[in-house]
Amino acid sequence: MATMEEDAFPEFCSKPVLILGIGNVFFGDDGFGCALTEYLETHFDVPGSVCLLDAGTGVRNLLFTICLSPVRPRRLLILDAVDFGREPGEWFEIDPAEIPVVKLDDFSMHQLPTSNMLRELQQQTGVEVRVLACQTGPLPAEVCPGLSEPVRRAVPEAAAWVAHEYFDAAGIASALEVSHAP
């Protein structure tokens, strides 16, 4: 149960688990994180202790707010599309420090890389930060909404993993308390 102080903070700061789907749905497979968020919302029962957000291309403001907030989630999962030269549709975890340079614009706050903010959240505040990434196919040069077939097929598989890791009782037990700044 949230205290009066915690009620004053946005849900994405005050819930124990925060899952952010990020990307640009207008540029093909870059919308993987957003598509995965939508799939989770429509195919799974999201527990009350989990805040699931489609952050689109606006993740930098959310992360900046979390970094500055005295109340923050215990666990943060970023859902994103990357190009690591793997097979399109392959999904995998990456260390926040491994976010490709071409993706840093998605996360920058005046060119401050998100990997720095994510590392700060982990090291300075104890927030568990994980990134679930999906290998994209070639991204379009101009607006072209919709995922490629391999990435579209990856969405239900990745959603099952997220649900197991973050929606099951065992996954939620590790995030029962909201993190407070020192």
PDB file of all heavy atoms in Angstrom, residues 94-107:
ATOM      1  N   ILE A  94      20.316  -7.474 -23.142  1.00  0.00           N
ATOM      2  CA  ILE A  94      21.610  -6.803 -23.266  1.00  0.00           C
ATOM      3  C   ILE A  94      21.851  -5.967 -22.019  1.00  0.00           C
ATOM      4  O   ILE A  94      20.910  -5.546 -21.345  1.00  0.00           O
ATOM      5  CB  ILE A  94      21.717  -5.918 -24.531  1.00  0.00           C
ATOM      6  CG1 ILE A  94      20.658  -4.808 -24.537  1.00  0.00           C
ATOM      7  CG2 ILE A  94      21.637  -6.742 -25.787  1.00  0.00           C
ATOM      8  CD1 ILE A  94      20.845  -3.800 -25.656  1.00  0.00           C
ATOM      9  N   ASP A  95      23.096  -5.731 -21.741  1.00  0.00           N
ATOM     10  CA  ASP A  95      23.484  -4.848 -20.652  1.00  0.00           C
ATOM     11  C   ASP A  95      23.193  -3.418 -21.106  1.00  0.00           C
ATOM     12  O   ASP A  95      23.439  -3.077 -22.266  1.00  0.00           O
ATOM     13  CB  ASP A  95      24.979  -5.042 -20.376  1.00  0.00           C
ATOM     14  CG  ASP A  95      25.446  -4.241 -19.182  1.00  0.00           C
ATOM     15  OD1 ASP A  95      25.477  -2.991 -19.283  1.00  0.00           O
ATOM     16  OD2 ASP A  95      25.782  -4.858 -18.163  1.00  0.00           O
ATOM     17  N   PRO A  96      22.661  -2.567 -20.215  1.00  0.00           N
ATOM     18  CA  PRO A  96      22.380  -1.186 -20.628  1.00  0.00           C
ATOM     19  C   PRO A  96      23.593  -0.481 -21.243  1.00  0.00           C
ATOM     20  O   PRO A  96      23.430   0.362 -22.121  1.00  0.00           O
ATOM     21  CB  PRO A  96      21.954  -0.498 -19.327  1.00  0.00           C
ATOM     22  CG  PRO A  96      21.397  -1.604 -18.502  1.00  0.00           C
ATOM     23  CD  PRO A  96      22.215  -2.828 -18.847  1.00  0.00           C
ATOM     24  N   ALA A  97      24.776  -0.852 -20.835  1.00  0.00           N
ATOM     25  CA  ALA A  97      25.988  -0.243 -21.388  1.00  0.00           C
ATOM     26  C   ALA A  97      26.224  -0.657 -22.837  1.00  0.00           C
ATOM     27  O   ALA A  97      27.015  -0.034 -23.538  1.00  0.00           O
ATOM     28  CB  ALA A  97      27.198  -0.608 -20.543  1.00  0.00           C
ATOM     29  N   GLU A  98      25.540  -1.703 -23.305  1.00  0.00           N
ATOM     30  CA  GLU A  98      25.719  -2.208 -24.663  1.00  0.00           C
ATOM     31  C   GLU A  98      24.737  -1.609 -25.662  1.00  0.00           C
ATOM     32  O   GLU A  98      24.682  -2.044 -26.807  1.00  0.00           O
ATOM     33  CB  GLU A  98      25.580  -3.735 -24.688  1.00  0.00           C
ATOM     34  CG  GLU A  98      26.645  -4.456 -23.900  1.00  0.00           C
ATOM     35  CD  GLU A  98      26.405  -5.961 -23.858  1.00  0.00           C
ATOM     36  OE1 GLU A  98      25.374  -6.439 -24.373  1.00  0.00           O
ATOM     37  OE2 GLU A  98      27.253  -6.645 -23.293  1.00  0.00           O
ATOM     38  N   ILE A  99      23.951  -0.623 -25.250  1.00  0.00           N
ATOM     39  CA  ILE A  99      23.002  -0.007 -26.174  1.00  0.00           C
ATOM     40  C   ILE A  99      23.795   0.567 -27.338  1.00  0.00           C
ATOM     41  O   ILE A  99      24.731   1.336 -27.136  1.00  0.00           O
ATOM     42  CB  ILE A  99      22.165   1.089 -25.483  1.00  0.00           C
ATOM     43  CG1 ILE A  99      21.279   0.459 -24.398  1.00  0.00           C
ATOM     44  CG2 ILE A  99      21.318   1.858 -26.502  1.00  0.00           C
ATOM     45  CD1 ILE A  99      20.603   1.462 -23.504  1.00  0.00           C
ATOM     46  N   PRO A 100      23.460   0.187 -28.565  1.00  0.00           N
ATOM     47  CA  PRO A 100      24.235   0.652 -29.718  1.00  0.00           C
ATOM     48  C   PRO A 100      24.247   2.170 -29.840  1.00  0.00           C
ATOM     49  O   PRO A 100      23.273   2.837 -29.507  1.00  0.00           O
ATOM     50  CB  PRO A 100      23.503   0.036 -30.913  1.00  0.00           C
ATOM     51  CG  PRO A 100      22.670  -1.055 -30.364  1.00  0.00           C
ATOM     52  CD  PRO A 100      22.352  -0.686 -28.945  1.00  0.00           C
ATOM     53  N   VAL A 101      25.352   2.702 -30.326  1.00  0.00           N
ATOM     54  CA  VAL A 101      25.510   4.148 -30.485  1.00  0.00           C
ATOM     55  C   VAL A 101      24.366   4.743 -31.304  1.00  0.00           C
ATOM     56  O   VAL A 101      23.873   5.819 -30.983  1.00  0.00           O
ATOM     57  CB  VAL A 101      26.881   4.465 -31.129  1.00  0.00           C
ATOM     58  CG1 VAL A 101      27.000   5.952 -31.439  1.00  0.00           C
ATOM     59  CG2 VAL A 101      28.003   4.027 -30.206  1.00  0.00           C
ATOM     60  N   VAL A 102      23.893   4.043 -32.333  1.00  0.00           N
ATOM     61  CA  VAL A 102      22.816   4.587 -33.163  1.00  0.00           C
ATOM     62  C   VAL A 102      21.509   4.701 -32.400  1.00  0.00           C
ATOM     63  O   VAL A 102      20.612   5.414 -32.832  1.00  0.00           O
ATOM     64  CB  VAL A 102      22.591   3.756 -34.452  1.00  0.00           C
ATOM     65  CG1 VAL A 102      23.814   3.816 -35.347  1.00  0.00           C
ATOM     66  CG2 VAL A 102      22.199   2.331 -34.129  1.00  0.00           C
ATOM     67  N   LYS A 103      21.369   4.013 -31.253  1.00  0.00           N
ATOM     68  CA  LYS A 103      20.154   4.098 -30.454  1.00  0.00           C
ATOM     69  C   LYS A 103      20.239   5.179 -29.384  1.00  0.00           C
ATOM     70  O   LYS A 103      19.253   5.501 -28.749  1.00  0.00           O
ATOM     71  CB  LYS A 103      19.867   2.753 -29.767  1.00  0.00           C
ATOM     72  CG  LYS A 103      19.503   1.631 -30.713  1.00  0.00           C
ATOM     73  CD  LYS A 103      18.227   1.898 -31.460  1.00  0.00           C
ATOM     74  CE  LYS A 103      17.035   1.745 -30.570  1.00  0.00           C
ATOM     75  NZ  LYS A 103      15.775   1.949 -31.275  1.00  0.00           N
ATOM     76  N   LEU A 104      21.408   5.758 -29.154  1.00  0.00           N
ATOM     77  CA  LEU A 104      21.557   6.709 -28.059  1.00  0.00           C
ATOM     78  C   LEU A 104      20.648   7.916 -28.218  1.00  0.00           C
ATOM     79  O   LEU A 104      20.212   8.491 -27.232  1.00  0.00           O
ATOM     80  CB  LEU A 104      23.016   7.132 -27.895  1.00  0.00           C
ATOM     81  CG  LEU A 104      23.951   6.027 -27.424  1.00  0.00           C
ATOM     82  CD1 LEU A 104      25.363   6.570 -27.281  1.00  0.00           C
ATOM     83  CD2 LEU A 104      23.494   5.388 -26.127  1.00  0.00           C
ATOM     84  N   ASP A 105      20.332   8.309 -29.447  1.00  0.00           N
ATOM     85  CA  ASP A 105      19.417   9.430 -29.644  1.00  0.00           C
ATOM     86  C   ASP A 105      18.051   9.145 -29.038  1.00  0.00           C
ATOM     87  O   ASP A 105      17.377  10.048 -28.569  1.00  0.00           O
ATOM     88  CB  ASP A 105      19.251   9.754 -31.126  1.00  0.00           C
ATOM     89  CG  ASP A 105      20.432  10.518 -31.701  1.00  0.00           C
ATOM     90  OD1 ASP A 105      21.244  11.030 -30.908  1.00  0.00           O
ATOM     91  OD2 ASP A 105      20.545  10.582 -32.926  1.00  0.00           O
ATOM     92  N   ASP A 106      17.623   7.876 -29.056  1.00  0.00           N
ATOM     93  CA  ASP A 106      16.336   7.515 -28.470  1.00  0.00           C
ATOM     94  C   ASP A 106      16.304   7.833 -26.981  1.00  0.00           C
ATOM     95  O   ASP A 106      15.255   8.037 -26.403  1.00  0.00           O
ATOM     96  CB  ASP A 106      16.053   6.014 -28.623  1.00  0.00           C
ATOM     97  CG  ASP A 106      15.778   5.624 -30.061  1.00  0.00           C
ATOM     98  OD1 ASP A 106      15.683   6.508 -30.925  1.00  0.00           O
ATOM     99  OD2 ASP A 106      15.672   4.410 -30.308  1.00  0.00           O
ATOM    100  N   PHE A 107      17.477   7.803 -26.376  1.00  0.00           N
ATOM    101  CA  PHE A 107      17.562   7.905 -24.932  1.00  0.00           C
ATOM    102  C   PHE A 107      18.195   9.194 -24.449  1.00  0.00           C
ATOM    103  O   PHE A 107      18.376   9.382 -23.271  1.00  0.00           O
ATOM    104  CB  PHE A 107      18.432   6.767 -24.392  1.00  0.00           C
ATOM    105  CG  PHE A 107      17.845   5.409 -24.564  1.00  0.00           C
ATOM    106  CD1 PHE A 107      18.326   4.554 -25.547  1.00  0.00           C
ATOM    107  CD2 PHE A 107      16.832   4.968 -23.748  1.00  0.00           C
ATOM    108  CE1 PHE A 107      17.803   3.295 -25.681  1.00  0.00           C
ATOM    109  CE2 PHE A 107      16.308   3.702 -23.881  1.00  0.00           C
ATOM    110  CZ  PHE A 107      16.786   2.868 -24.852  1.00  0.00           C
TER     111      PHE A 107
END
